[in-house]
Amino acid sequence: MKSLTRSVIWRYAVGQLGWPILSGLVSSWLVYFYQPDQAGLAEGMPLFIPQGRVVFGLLTIIGLVGALGRLFDAVTDPLVGNLSDNCRSPLGRRVPFLRRSALPFGISTLLIFCAPIQKISAINTAWLFVFVLLYYFLLTCYYTPYTSLIAELAKTQKEKLALSTCISLTFIVGTAISYLAPVVWTAFISAGMERILAMRLTFGIFSALAVALMLVPAYTLNEKEYVQAPQAQDGQSSMFSSLAKTFGNKDFRIFAAQDVIYWFALTMFQTGLPFFVTALLKLPETYATPMFVGLTAASLLFYLPVNVLAKKFGKKNVVVAAFIFFVADYLFTGFCGESLAIPQKVQALIMVLTAAFPIAAFGILPQAMVADIAQAETAASGQNRSGMFFAARTFAFKLGQSAAMLCFASLATISRQTGGGYRIVAVVASICCALGAAILLFYNERRIVEQLS
């Protein structure tokens, strides 16, 4: 097998620049598009689906659709992971999935925002439900095989950290690109275009860019040159058998539990960011873009320190510290606004700077931790189930995202005029991060390192 070169690492990482653009469009702007706040309505946003808590008097339509989409996505993760582990294509086990899913993934993302009826309609609700499910399924078809390559391409701890660092960087940049959307659609509106058409054109441009980037590793990497062919018995495990063996690993169960909580908190906060900007800080919607660009730039300053700290103190301890930073940041956000004796733009700066270190840590280390667990399990059992480990991890964090979409959409309707619901969202996210740190303390990193040795 060939050794990883810098060129190979970056060609692989470009794929992680692509799909986060699509993910960022949905996670950041889906609720904003279909359940606009007062500022959005004042800007001329039409309503496409019923508003408020109209499902059992507790849930919103957009919250329920988002949650069911994530839940469906989570259920299909083990299926795609097992199919990928058992794939016997001449191109390898992962690359065929990347090639076939990228284009449909981009198209489904755009169609989510293209509800056909220009008023509140059941047809729009059905449209949204269908394309959200399709979007999440195609996300799984690309993301699970893609991340499975981390444990297979990287043979040493140094290579794993290098690979995880590069894809963390491209992930942050890709997500940051998705936050440029309001800048682009505002420019189109200023040129005389209708708001909805401007937004859809923006989403179409971003989707096309994302597809082109996702196809780079699919067509420039020869998987067979870097990944050893699996043993024959690897392909004989059923999905349920492989999934049971994966969750039979105690340290993976602990990791998955904290990952559910982390993604619940992060998704709540990320979905709420445009509303924190407009409803709490009373700043224009376009201010979310410089905030996220600033967060990206600030987090880059911590990439080298995170690698150094992980080597010295262990990945687990650095992630626990990152949780604590998130606790402080989310709690501050819950109390921000005009009532604080701090200018709103300074408050936004504090939110960005406090989140920089944990964003870097969570971007780099969790994927390397899953790769450690998968490789340790391979060493112990002789079977390579990297695809199922990463699929199970994806299954776990998407459960957290599903719950977050459901909770955010419902909490956001509380005291919408004053933004009280958005404050509750931030405080809940803070409490969840504290719980995630406590759970991770039980993760036995020393035992995993000994198994790898």
Side-chain angles (χ1 to χ4, degrees):
M1 296 291 103
K2 291 184 178 180
S3 299
L4 287 182
T5 64
R6 187 173 299 178
S7 172
V8 172
I9 290 175
W10 281 109
R11 275 183 279 149
Y12 172 75
V14 167
Q16 186 105 328
L17 180 59
W19 73 261
I21 296 176
L22 302 180
S23 178
L25 292 179
V26 173
S27 62
S28 300
W29 304 115
L30 178 64
V31 176
Y32 190 79
F33 188 89
Y34 282 105
Q35 190 175 299
D37 61 3
Q38 296 301 316
L41 293 173
E43 291 289 335
M45 280 295 296
L47 299 178
F48 294 95
I49 61 174
Q51 304 294 294
R53 288 172 282 180
V54 297
V55 183
F56 308 123
L58 298 171
L59 308 175
T60 64
I61 292 291
I62 189 63
L64 183 62
V65 169
L68 289 177
R70 279 294 185 186
L71 187 60
F72 170 77
D73 183 27
V75 171
T76 58
D77 281 324
L79 172 62
V80 173
N82 194 61
L83 288 173
S84 180
D85 278 344
N86 294 336
C87 180
R88 293 296 179 266
S89 167
L91 297 174
R93 297 194 294 174
R94 318 302 181 189
V95 165
F97 287 84
L98 307 188
R99 291 188 178 185
R100 294 169 185 168
S101 61
L103 180 59
F105 183 19
I107 294 173
S108 67
T109 302
L110 173 61
L111 291 178
I112 284 176
F113 298 97
C114 295
I117 309 299
Q118 299 301 304
K119 61 180 180 180
I120 294 177
S121 169
I123 295 176
N124 290 338
T125 302
W127 176 282
L128 181 62
F129 180 75
V130 168
F131 284 105
V132 163
L133 291 187
L134 183 60
Y135 158 86
Y136 281 123
F137 175 69
L138 291 167
L139 168 61
T140 297
C141 289
Y142 189 92
Y143 176 81
T144 296
Y146 178 86
T147 52
S148 300
L149 283 169
I150 298 174
E152 297 173 339
L153 291 173
K155 306 300 189 298
T156 66
Q157 287 292 325
K158 182 179 179 180
E159 288 182 342
K160 268 185 285 188
L161 280 175
L163 206 59
S164 295
T165 299
C166 290
I167 65 174
S168 171
L169 171 62
T170 52
F171 174 83
I172 290 178
V173 173
T175 307
I177 290 174
S178 72
Y179 267 83
L180 293 173
V183 175
V184 177
W185 76 55
T186 298
F188 287 141
I189 293 172
S190 299
M193 190 176 293
E194 183 186 28
R195 181 180 179 87
I196 290 300
L197 180 59
M199 296 181 76
R200 287 171 174 168
L201 178 59
T202 300
F203 295 143
I205 293 171
F206 281 40
S207 297
L209 172 62
V211 169
L213 294 169
M214 287 190 294
L215 290 175
V216 170
Y219 284 95
T220 65
L221 291 183
N222 188 336
E223 181 182 336
K224 292 284 183 106
E225 291 182 350
Y226 301 94
V227 179
Q228 187 171 356
Q231 298 176 5
Q233 65 262 31
D234 286 354
Q236 296 175 356
S237 296
S238 69
M239 182 188 74
F240 295 106
S241 172
S242 182
L243 187 62
K245 291 176 182 177
T246 300
F247 276 103
N249 186 302
K250 179 181 178 181
D251 289 302
F252 181 76
R253 291 199 305 272
I254 294 171
F255 175 89
Q258 65 83 35
D259 215 34
V260 169
I261 294 172
Y262 162 69
W263 283 101
F264 176 86
L266 182 67
T267 304
M268 290 266 282
F269 193 82
Q270 186 180 31
T271 306
L273 184 57
F275 300 103
F276 300 152
V277 170
T278 58
L280 302 186
L281 296 178
K282 306 299 182 183
L283 296 171
E285 66 178 5
T286 53
Y287 208 80
T289 298
M291 282 182 66
F292 201 86
V293 171
L295 175 59
T296 302
S299 67
L300 294 180
L301 300 176
F302 288 97
Y303 270 55
L304 179 59
V306 164
N307 277 272
V308 173
L309 292 171
K311 292 174 183 176
K312 185 173 182 179
F313 299 105
K315 302 181 187 74
K316 179 183 85 170
N317 292 329
V318 178
V319 173
V320 169
F323 263 128
I324 295 172
F325 270 82
F326 267 144
V327 170
D329 188 47
Y330 294 169
L331 195 60
F332 174 80
T333 302
F335 291 93
C336 71
E338 295 176 325
S339 60
L340 293 183
I342 305 174
Q344 281 94 320
K345 291 185 178 179
V346 175
Q347 294 180 44
L349 181 61
I350 293 172
M351 291 165 58
V352 166
L353 295 180
T354 308
F357 164 70
I359 286 292
F362 276 102
I364 297 170
L365 300 180
Q367 296 184 100
M369 292 168 71
V370 178
D372 284 345
I373 297 170
Q375 287 184 335
E377 180 74 11
T378 299
S381 67
Q383 291 188 334
N384 185 336
R385 294 195 306 276
S386 297
M388 185 56 76
F389 269 104
F390 279 92
R393 187 254 172 147
T394 309
F395 171 81
F397 81 63
K398 286 173 183 174
L399 288 180
Q401 291 178 320
S402 299
M405 291 293 291
L406 203 60
C407 291
F408 176 86
S410 296
L411 291 175
T413 63
I414 300 174
S415 302
R416 294 186 69 179
Q417 295 291 337
T418 62
Y422 304 130
R423 298 187 187 280
I424 295 173
V425 164
V427 173
V428 169
S430 178
I431 294 171
C432 288
C433 286
L435 180 59
I439 291 174
L440 193 58
L441 292 176
F442 295 94
Y443 177 76
N444 194 336
E445 187 172 28
R446 177 178 296 179
R447 177 172 59 200
I448 293 171
V449 172
E450 288 175 353
Q451 287 178 317
L452 289 174
S453 300

